[in-house]
């Protein structure tokens, strides 16, 4: 190779992956052309999955982010991604907000950004949509103010993984830019719904709304195509007694739904969650060919079950790690050495790959490359 030729990998903008989990954000970022140069998480089980997928590259730092110092981070990163823990912000959690023991780690991310001699030109905070209403919006306001204090103008988008996958999984993406595009109040209302309008109406916050391509419309079907096929006598199907207990817990509406499916001429798949209604544990089956939001056992949520019905028969079992991976857009993820609960927790606590890839390709990479910067900001880095 000639000394004047720069290797392709070195031309890729570098990203820092905070709260990396099992690396699904990395999968989406790298699909759009980024190189993840550093990653961090505090859970050994997640690191084990991350390492199995990507290899032991040496840049995954296992441990509490509170112990990380700015000098520990590689220089020259163009992007900092943070999927901070959502336990204190989720509707299923205790709603302690950014002051919670886990979601409060957000402030260590801010501390590290503040301590960098050269800050990334783009930062992303990904979280549950509950961040927009946590403490009456005060938590999201505090997050935006913190980023404003570091010089970032902020955009806020709501993207449901259902636009790319047959899984209902809405997430909030807070995008900060040192060189933001011009604000377009009419841009992409499907990504900035009415319940986010207060963010941009608050004149004490520095915000912008970038004009982006129209994302795919939400899917209305497709779960059945991602289900792991297995024979009727596979041991993972529940036995007759357990299946009868499942059916007997259904409400009259739910019973009618499953009965119609059972009588159908073709076999279909649905997902089901166990809920507590009036103090009683019951099962609820979705009516559509879409998965409910994959979750972890923390925060009061339970695992998701798969119902196969048709031709006079009903079978039920837990959803498998393979199905979790497919429904997160990570179908080729290496699960060869993963324990079942380890995999379910890792995927249920992650961000959907194609949602990240779409955002990175259409927004983050153009921001990093200066292709979206307004005339007022373009001269800062590119003039």
């Amino acid at each position: 190779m000639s000394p004047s030729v720069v290797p392709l990998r070195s031309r890729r903008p570098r990203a820092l992956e905070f709260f990396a989990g099992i690396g699904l954000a990395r999968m989406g970022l790298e699909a759009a052309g980024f190189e993840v140069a550093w990653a961090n998480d505090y859970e050994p089980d997640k690191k084990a999955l991350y390492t199995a997928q990507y290899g032991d590259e040496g840049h995954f730092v296992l441990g509490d982010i509170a112990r990380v110092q700015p000098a520990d981070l590689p220089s020259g990163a163009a992007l900092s991604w943070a999927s901070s823990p959502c336990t204190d912000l989720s509707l299923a959690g205790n709603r302690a907000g950014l002051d919670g023991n886990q979601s409060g780690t957000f402030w260590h991310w801010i501390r590290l950004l503040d301590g960098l001699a050269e800050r990334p030109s783009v930062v992303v905070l990904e979280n549950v949509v509950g961040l927009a209403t946590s403490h009456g919006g005060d938590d999201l306001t505090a997050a935006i103010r913190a980023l404003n204090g570091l010089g970032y103008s902020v955009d806020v988008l709501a993207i449901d993984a259902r636009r790319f996958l047959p899984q209902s999984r809405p997430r909030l993406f807070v995008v900060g830019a040192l060189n933001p595009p011009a604000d377009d109040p009419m841009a992409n209302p499907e990504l900035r719904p009415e319940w986010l309008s207060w963010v941009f109406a608050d004149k004490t916050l520095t915000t912008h709304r970038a004009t982006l391509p129209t994302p795919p419309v939400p899917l209305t079907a497709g779960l059945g195509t991602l289900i792991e096929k297995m024979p009727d006598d596979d041991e993972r199907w529940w036995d007759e007694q357990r299946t009868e207990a499942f059916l007997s817990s259904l409400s009259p509406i739910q019973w009618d739904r499953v009965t119609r499916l059972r009588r159908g001429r073709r076999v279909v798949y649905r997902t089901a969650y166990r809920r507590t209604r009036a103090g009683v544990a019951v099962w609820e089956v979705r009516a559509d060919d879409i998965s409910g939001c994959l979750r972890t056992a923390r925060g009061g949520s339970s695992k998701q079950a798969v119902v196969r019905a048709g031709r006079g028969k009903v079978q039920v079992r837990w959803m498998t790690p393979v199905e979790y991976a497919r429904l997160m857009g990570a179908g080729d993820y290496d699960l060869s050495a993963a324990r079942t609960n380890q995999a379910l927790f890792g995927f249920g606590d992650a961000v959907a790959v194609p949602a990240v890839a779409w955002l990175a390709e259409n927004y983050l990479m153009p921001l990093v490359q200066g292709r979206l910067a307004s005339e007022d900001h373009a001269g800062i880095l590119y003039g």
Side-chain angles (χ1 to χ4, degrees):
M1 178 183 293
S2 169
S4 63
V5 176
V6 180
L8 178 61
R9 185 171 176 80
S10 68
R11 298 194 195 113
R12 304 174 73 187
R14 304 177 88 192
L16 309 177
E17 188 184 16
F18 291 85
F19 318 106
I22 64 173
L24 297 200
R26 170 175 175 168
M27 194 173 287
L29 292 173
E30 292 192 338
F34 286 95
E35 173 194 351
V36 173
W38 183 91
N40 162 260
D41 205 280
Y42 71 97
E43 297 203 38
D45 276 355
K46 290 181 179 178
K47 180 183 185 295
L49 283 168
Y50 191 107
T51 301
Q53 175 67 20
Y54 297 107
D56 189 6
E57 300 168 321
H59 71 251
F60 190 111
V61 177
L62 177 67
D64 189 346
I65 189 176
R67 301 186 178 215
V68 179
Q69 299 301 319
D72 299 329
L73 303 176
S75 61
L79 171 70
S80 178
W81 181 282
S83 292
S84 67
C86 64
T87 306
D88 296 312
L89 300 174
S90 170
L91 294 175
N94 59 21
R95 301 306 292 270
L98 292 179
D99 289 330
N101 291 333
Q102 295 188 52
S103 298
T105 53
F106 163 84
W107 297 110
H108 286 293
W109 179 54
I110 293 296
R111 170 183 61 83
L112 291 169
L113 290 175
D114 188 33
L116 291 175
E118 181 185 356
R119 289 176 191 149
S121 59
V122 179
V123 297
V124 180
L125 170 66
E126 178 266 327
N127 215 294
V128 294
V129 294
L131 176 58
T133 56
S134 180
H135 289 118
D138 287 350
D139 283 325
L140 180 55
T141 298
I144 294 173
R145 287 197 199 286
L147 292 172
N148 286 169
L150 298 179
Y152 295 97
S153 175
V154 170
D155 196 354
V156 185
L157 307 96
I159 303 176
D160 194 334
R162 188 169 175 172
R163 294 184 179 274
F164 314 95
L165 299 161
Q167 181 199 171
S168 176
R169 193 178 190 84
R171 285 297 184 269
L172 207 66
F173 297 87
V174 179
V175 179
L178 293 179
N179 304 281
D183 180 47
D184 180 0
M186 305 302 292
N188 303 95
E190 66 273 31
L191 298 178
R192 303 175 186 90
E194 184 64 27
W195 50 269
L196 283 176
S197 62
W198 65 269
V199 172
F200 305 102
D202 188 339
K203 299 307 180 185
T204 69
L205 303 176
T206 302
T207 60
H208 65 273
R209 285 158 287 193
T211 302
L212 303 173
T214 301
V217 298
L219 297 176
T220 58
L223 170 68
T225 65
L226 300 184
I227 291 297
E228 184 177 2
K229 301 305 186 289
M230 56 185 69
D232 292 354
D233 60 354
D234 191 288
E235 63 180 9
R236 286 170 290 184
W237 291 112
W238 295 352
D239 60 25
E240 182 177 351
Q241 182 178 1
R242 192 173 186 181
T243 302
E244 284 301 321
F246 170 90
L247 294 173
S248 65
S249 81
L250 299 176
S251 69
I253 292 176
Q254 294 284 321
W255 175 267
D256 289 343
R257 176 177 298 162
V258 173
T259 297
R260 287 195 302 271
L261 294 175
R262 177 167 51 188
R263 292 172 178 171
R265 294 184 178 180
R266 63 187 184 93
V267 174
V268 297
Y269 293 89
R270 296 291 185 265
T271 58
Y273 273 118
R274 188 166 45 200
R275 307 293 194 192
T276 300
R277 305 296 186 196
V280 178
V282 298
W283 282 94
E284 296 181 357
V285 180
R286 284 186 68 102
D288 53 11
D289 189 33
I290 297 290
S291 167
C293 184
L294 302 183
R295 296 171 180 167
T296 67
R298 294 181 185 174
S301 300
S302 63
K303 292 187 295 184
Q304 197 160 178
V306 171
V307 179
R308 181 168 72 179
R311 299 174 185 171
K313 193 172 185 177
V314 174
Q315 289 182 285
V316 187
R317 60 170 172 79
W318 293 119
M319 188 175 283
T320 68
V322 168
E323 290 161 345
Y324 266 58
R326 291 173 179 174
L327 285 166
M328 292 298 286
D332 59 349
Y333 201 93
D334 186 351
L335 295 169
S336 58
R339 305 187 311 275
T340 296
N341 286 341
Q342 176 189 21
L344 297 183
F345 184 82
F347 284 108
D349 207 29
V351 58
V353 174
V356 176
W358 185 90
L359 185 70
E361 179 181 351
N362 293 288
Y363 198 175
L364 307 183
M365 186 63 79
L367 272 178
V368 164
Q369 296 176 339
R371 291 186 276 125
L372 290 183
S374 67
E375 292 183 2
D376 292 338
H377 293 88
I380 296 178
L381 286 183
Y382 304 96

